């Protein structure tokens, strides 16, 4: 039985006794126990060993008190499973030695057996689900097609994503073929995650904001909507296209149960754009966790007042950074638990 199902009820549009809270990248380098495992095992060993992935997934639940667990993995397991090598070098971030440039490269990407090659993720989900024993819901995730294309074409992180955009603007047919191929695999992968125990899924479109509003509608939004439509019968979906305040209104009409919001829009405006029929999640500036604790608490209070107590999940506007003191992360979570109590809640 699910003992704490706050997030699931909020995504379902129900009133809850308080606002639930979790943090993107909540399992990571700001946690000393994570650093201990990081010192012993390289990144993909941690990701590919279900016992390690489970242990890491549970750390923020046990140590910070969040209302959901998100499976420890990475969005780049998809390009890996499709046959592209992915390296994770300390201090450098991810890199892909072989990148996509032509239709031939796209045709060579594997689509068969992708689910089997990602068995370690579904095993980690089943094991985590068992260990959680209903304490909090379990979140599965994948990268959005545009964000995955960005890495497949650039081969590493970028401030401008100009090579990925050049590919889209000079070879639009190939770009759409690639985006569709990633979309099809991602749908299968997310459904497999739900079958293995994920209670909801989030789609990270971290680099959606690199596109203009018009190009977002061409290269990102249609694929996000396909994923939301396909997952709807299986589990609630949260779409997080970072940096796209302009899309909130359209996505508010989609099959998604929730939309992730970054800190470049104020909560009341995001709510006005989205309407009242979709759950919003966000949007605390992760760097604000470096402020003094009393300031964090005040900012949390304002954020909740802006979004309202209904159809709202408190979170950061992007991933937590490694330099956040654990007691500041805890202060953020505790402040939501305190100020998020719904004064008008009726059972
Ligand atoms: O949220 C969680 O706690 C679950 C774990 C998670 C990781 N990556 C673990 C990770 C999630 C949800 C991701 C998603 C992810 N990965 C995204 C989308 C979210 C976002 O932040 O925009 C992206 C763009 C990636 C790609 C990626 N993986 C990058 C750019 C990096 C390097 C950046 C960095 O922080 O060093 C990674 C590596 C990575 N993935 C780490 C973790 C904890 C850090 C490496 C390590 O701990 O050894």
């Amino acid at each position: 039985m699910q003992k704490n199902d706050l997030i699931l009820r909020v995504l379902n549009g129900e009133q809850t006794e308080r606002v639930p809270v979790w943090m993107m990248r909540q399992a990571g380098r700001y946690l000393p126990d994570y650093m201990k495992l990081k010192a012993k095992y390289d990144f993909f060993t941690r990701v590919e060993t279900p016992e390690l992935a489970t242990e890491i997934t549970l750390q923020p639940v046990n140590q910070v008190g969040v209302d959901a667990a998100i499976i420890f993995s990475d969005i780049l397991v998809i390009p890996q499973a499709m046959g592209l090598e992915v390296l994770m070098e300390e201090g450098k971030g991810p890199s892909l030695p072989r990148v996509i440039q032509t239709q031939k490269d796209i045709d060579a990407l594997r689509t068969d057996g992708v689910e089997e090659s990602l068995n370690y993720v579904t095993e980690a989900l089943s094991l985590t689900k068992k260990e959680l024993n209903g304490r909090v819901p379990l979140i599965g995730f994948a990268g959005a097609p545009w964000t995955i294309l960005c890495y497949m074409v650039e081969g590493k992180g970028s401030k401008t994503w100009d090579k990925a955009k050049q590919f889209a603007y000079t070879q639009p047919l190939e770009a759409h073929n690639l985006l569709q191929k990633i979309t099809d695999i991602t749908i299968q992968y997310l459904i497999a995650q739900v079958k293995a125990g994920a209670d909801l899924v989030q789609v990270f479109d971290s680099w959606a904001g690199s596109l203009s509003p018009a190009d977002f509608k061409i290269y990102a939004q249609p694929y996000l909507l396909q994923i939301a439509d396909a997952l709807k019968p299986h589990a609630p979906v949260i779409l997080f296209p970072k940096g796209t305040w302009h899309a909130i209104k359209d996505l508010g009409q989609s099959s998604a149960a929730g939309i992730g919001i970054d800190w470049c829009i104020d909560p009341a405006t995001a709510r006005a754009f989205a309407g009242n029929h979709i759950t919003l999640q966000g949007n605390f500036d992760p760097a604000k966790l470096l402020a003094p604790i009393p300031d964090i608490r005040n900012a949390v209070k304002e954020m909740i007042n802006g979004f309202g107590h209904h159809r709202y999940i408190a979170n950061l506007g992007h991933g937590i950074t490694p330099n956040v003191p654990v007691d500041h992360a805890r202060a953020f979570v505790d402040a939501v638990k305190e100020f998020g109590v719904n004064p008008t809640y009726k059972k």
Side-chain angles (χ1 to χ4, degrees):
M1 203 195 69
Q2 199 70 57
K3 290 162 202 135
N4 173 349
D5 61 354
L6 284 170
I7 285 187
L8 297 173
R9 283 190 282 141
V10 168
L11 287 169
N12 196 32
E14 295 170 41
Q15 292 272 353
T16 51
E17 48 279 31
R18 74 164 166 83
V19 169
V21 56
W22 67 283
M23 292 180 297
M24 287 187 272
R25 294 286 196 100
Q26 64 188 16
R29 287 170 295 180
Y30 72 105
L31 286 174
D33 284 343
Y34 178 83
M35 293 312 282
K36 284 186 199 154
L37 290 175
K38 183 177 155 77
K40 280 215 262 186
Y41 308 98
D42 70 52
F43 183 71
F44 285 110
T45 305
R46 278 173 274 144
V47 165
E48 289 166 16
T49 313
E51 291 74 17
L52 290 175
T54 296
E55 185 178 342
I56 295 170
T57 302
L58 296 176
Q59 284 174 353
V61 178
N62 295 333
Q63 297 174 16
V64 191
V66 284
D67 292 308
I70 177 161
I71 194 67
F72 182 74
S73 184
D74 200 85
I75 63 168
L76 298 175
V77 300
I78 285 287
Q80 232 176 15
M82 293 176 87
L84 295 177
E85 190 187 357
V86 180
L87 307 170
M88 194 66 77
E89 284 167 274
E90 187 55 36
K92 277 176 112 184
S95 64
L96 290 74
R98 199 159 52 81
V99 295
I100 299 292
Q101 288 171 322
T102 62
Q103 183 62 43
K104 209 166 139 238
D105 297 336
I106 299 168
D107 292 339
L109 288 171
R110 279 179 52 199
T111 49
D112 292 338
V114 167
E115 246 182 272
E116 292 74 55
S117 59
L118 291 169
N119 269 346
Y120 60 85
V121 181
T122 44
E123 272 175 43
L125 282 159
S126 310
L127 183 61
T128 305
K129 183 85 176 164
K130 196 169 133 236
E131 294 283 322
L132 276 171
N133 195 21
R135 270 189 295 160
V136 292
L138 178 56
I139 305 173
F141 72 89
W146 170 254
T147 289
I148 296 297
L149 176 147
C150 280
Y151 285 104
M152 283 183 165
V153 172
E154 296 260 352
K156 57 182 189 303
S158 165
K159 279 206 170 73
T160 55
W161 299 105
D162 54 309
K163 290 193 191 74
K165 289 161 79 171
Q166 181 182 27
F167 178 69
Y169 303 158
T170 57
Q171 303 182 75
L173 264 177
E174 286 81 356
H176 283 291
N177 289 342
L178 178 56
L179 289 163
Q180 190 59 52
K181 209 161 177 176
I182 300 166
T183 301
D184 295 343
I185 298 280
T186 301
I187 289 170
Q188 283 177 38
Y189 176 50
L190 288 172
I191 292 174
Q193 291 191 44
V194 173
K195 290 196 174 135
D199 298 293
L200 67 137
V201 296
Q202 174 155 317
V203 183
F204 287 89
D205 213 347
S206 305
W207 315 124
S210 64
L211 294 166
S212 70
D215 286 324
F216 174 80
K217 283 204 166 50
I218 298 171
Y219 298 103
Q221 182 165 304
Y223 302 99
L224 287 170
L225 297 184
Q226 277 189 48
I227 295 173
D229 287 344
L231 263 292
K232 194 181 162 88
H234 300 274
V237 180
I238 299 174
L239 299 177
F240 175 52
K242 185 177 177 290
T244 61
W245 58 269
H246 51 80
I248 295 173
K249 194 166 172 230
D250 276 4
L251 297 175
Q253 316 286 315
S254 73
S255 325
I259 313 172
I261 307 289
D262 64 46
W263 63 95
C264 297
I265 180 167
D266 72 273
T269 309
R271 175 57 77 197
F273 283 174
N276 292 322
H277 298 293
I278 191 152
T279 294
L280 297 182
Q281 171 177 282
N283 74 342
F284 205 79
D285 174 2
K288 193 97 189 194
L289 293 178
L290 301 168
I293 285 178
D295 296 349
I296 295 176
R297 289 173 52 79
N298 282 335
V300 166
K301 196 173 175 179
E302 273 178 31
M303 174 177 76
I304 295 173
N305 286 341
F307 280 110
H309 288 76
H310 187 45
R311 276 201 173 263
Y312 171 53
I313 299 166
N315 202 320
L316 309 176
H318 201 185
I320 190 169
T321 50
N323 54 349
V324 172
V326 180
D327 58 332
H328 286 219
R330 231 178 258 129
F332 170 76
V333 169
D334 288 344
V336 174
K337 290 182 175 174
E338 189 180 326
F339 301 125
V341 172
N342 184 350
T344 61
Y345 175 73
K346 282 190 226 63
K347 255 214 159 116

